[in-house]
């Protein structure tokens, strides 16, 4: 490139995405730098240090395939690794691949603007420095921009308050003997509740929408299992690329209505015991598509809740009834429902009227003040787009990405955007709803191959065509609206943008299957990236 830029590529974010991107850029001889506001690598796994944080995916498909050294030298200790272990894995990856020399921590990107004449991105940091690069690549993460709901009086709370995704890094939070409140019961809330229940004096859980929490069944990984997994990594990663959710699972052959009631129950029970995504993905092939089949799964989980929770009134409150299983991303539970059998745990229903106000002393619901020492917000994220719209990303003719998307998402395969030359997103909006490390690796590989193609063919600008992103928006909408997930609108699901007031309600992820998506990306590459030569 003859634009005298400081770098070939600036990558924002030092999590799974940014680390993989840097390594792959180096492999094709590009000079790349990674910028991250945090003081350590890990991205999401750096920030989410709340008690109980762990993966909902099993260890054997929650990592990268690309480095044989890392695969062979890293040992996982639990089926669902806890946050410190995933962060340690990413630190190990960064060390082992010598990535640190091209990572600048404590460096927040505030603005990135494409200069048409020079064909470079000018990237301004919070230190007031401007760095330039031919390519700008976002690895900013999809569930990374915390959502703090606008509850009246929130700022007046006099006790300690924390968001799960901004848990203190520099000290232990001592909850012993304290009255603790938790607002939010997505995957974060469902993970923190059982752990905090054991630490706190009293735990008050404020529930707006109950969730379908699937048992996880966690246990240690012994040497034999780890050795077996190491052996099978290549095959597993290959299979994951062929699966709708990017996991190395078998697709079930039958729908839930194709078998007898007894057989259906047996299969649900077997996969419930296996745990987590096995229940969601390996029971029947139509749970996300067919109302009646879905109803059987929803009923099965409600039955489990009623069997587990001793107090019938609490059990009923915990049973989701006005939206189906998969209408929200189902969290994995680790003793979640059992927690409500503890004497120090109280479930407070805010479904009808919400939280009236937060005062200096606590949380008021239906006229009653619940006094608290500590208030925990497990209130999720401005998902998929939040990190991208928090930064001023300015494309051609001064168009800001946030403004372009104000009335609806437009991307080409979630990888690029018309009007934003040489800009790529790893896990951009409209990429698949899937197991993320596998999806990230596929995205990173695709971008790397595109940059190599551009270099080999003297192409100075890669930019989505307008037509291609119009077509992709239609496909994302078509695929999503044919699924049960469309009912996520009734459950404030983040994947449909419904958890953030004022955000357009539309599919922020592709529900047509990760496997189909990867194929489509391969086709675009095989066709010479024509859909990305629209500048
Ligand atoms: O966030 P969420 P999350 N008053 O948006 C409630 C991934 N993840 O951080 O449903 C009261 O799911 C809101 O209530 P409601 C995973 O993909 C993965 O838990 O809107 N409550 C909801 O209960 C997950 O899906 C892992 O009625 C309010 C909660 O806050 C995604 O991240 C671990 C409220 C938000 O749930 C997001 O999960 C953690 C208000 N004003 C997360 N506003 C692992 O796999 C919001 N809520 C490791």
């Amino acid at each position: 490139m003859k634009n005298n830029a400081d770098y070939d590529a600036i990558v924002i974010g030092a999590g799974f995405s940014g680390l993989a991107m840097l390594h792959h850029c180096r492999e094709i001889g590009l000079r790349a730098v990674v910028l991250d506001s945090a003081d350590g690598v890990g991205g999401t796994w750096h920030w989410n240090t709340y008690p109980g944080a762990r993966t909902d995916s099993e260890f054997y498909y929650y990592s990268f395939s690309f480095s044989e050294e890392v695969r062979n030298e890293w040992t996982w200790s639990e089926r669902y690794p806890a946050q410190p272990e995933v962060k340690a894995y990413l630190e190990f990856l960064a060390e082992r691949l010598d990535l640190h020399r091209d990572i600048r921590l404590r460096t927040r990107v505030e603005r990135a603007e494409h200069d048409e004449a020079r064909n470079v991105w000018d990237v301004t940091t919070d230190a007031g420095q401007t760095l330039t690069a031919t390519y700008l690549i976002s690895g900013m993460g999809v569930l990374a921009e915390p959502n703090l709901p606008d509850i009246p009086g929130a700022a007046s709370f006099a006790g300690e308050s924390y968001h799960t995704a901004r848990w203190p890094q520099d000290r232990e939070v001592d909850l012993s003997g304290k009255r603790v409140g938790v607002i939010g019961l997505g995957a974060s809330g469902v993970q923190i509740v059982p752990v905090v229940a054991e630490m706190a004096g009293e735990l008050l859980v404020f529930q707006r929408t109950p969730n379908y929490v699937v048992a996880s069944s966690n246990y240690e990984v012994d040497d034999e299992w780890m050795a077996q997994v190491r052996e099978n990594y290549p095959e597993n990663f290959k299979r994951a690329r062929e699966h709708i959710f990017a996991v190395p699972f078998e697709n079930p052959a039958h729908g839930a209505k194709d078998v007898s009631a007894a057989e259906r129950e047996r299969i649900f029970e077997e996969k419930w015991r296996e745990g987590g995504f096995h229940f969601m993905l390996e029971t029947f092939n139509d749970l996300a598509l067919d109302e009646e089949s879905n109803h059987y799964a929803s009923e099965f989980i409600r039955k489990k809740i009623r069997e587990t929770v001793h107090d019938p009134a609490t059990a009923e409150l915990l049973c989701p009834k006005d939206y189906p299983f998969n209408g929200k991303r189902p969290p994995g539970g680790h003793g979640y429902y059992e927690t409500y059998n503890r004497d120090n745990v109280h479930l407070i229903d805010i479904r009808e009227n919400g939280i009236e106000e937060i005062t200096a002393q606590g949380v008021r619901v239906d006229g009653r003040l619940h006094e608290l020492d500590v208030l925990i917000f497990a209130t999720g994220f401005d998902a998929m787009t939040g990190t991208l719209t928090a930064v001023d990303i300015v494309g051609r003719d001064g168009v800001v990405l946030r403004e372009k998307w104000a009335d609806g998402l437009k991307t080409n395969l979630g990888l690029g955007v018309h009007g934003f030359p040489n800009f790529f997103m790893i896990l951009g909006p409209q990429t698949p709803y899937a197991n993320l490390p596998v999806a990230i690796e596929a995205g990173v590989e695709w971008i790397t191959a595109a940059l190599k193609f551009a270099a080999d063919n003297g192409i100075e600008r890669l930019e989505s065509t307008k037509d291609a992103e119009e077509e992709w928006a239609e496909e994302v909408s078509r695929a999503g609206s044919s699924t049960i997930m469309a009912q996520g609108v009734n459950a404030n699901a983040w994947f449909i943008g419904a958890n953030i007031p004022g955000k357009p309600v539309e599919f922020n992820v592709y529900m047509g299957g990760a496997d189909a998506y990867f194929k489509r990306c391969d086709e675009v590459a095989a066709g010479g990236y024509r859909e990305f030569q629209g500048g």
Side-chain angles (χ1 to χ4, degrees), residues 54 56 149 184-188 208-209 328-329 379-381 492 494:
R54 61 175 69 250
D56 274 353
L185 291 169
S188 305
R208 191 165 67 183
T209 309
K328 275 170 120 64
R329 146 79 150 77
T379 46
F381 304 91
N492 311 328
W494 59 258

Side-chain angles (χ1 to χ4, degrees), residues 205-220:
V205 182
F206 298 91
Q207 174 186 270
R208 191 165 67 183
T209 309
N211 231 316
Y212 291 94
V213 181
V214 176
S216 294
S217 187
N218 194 21
Y219 37 83
E220 281 179 17

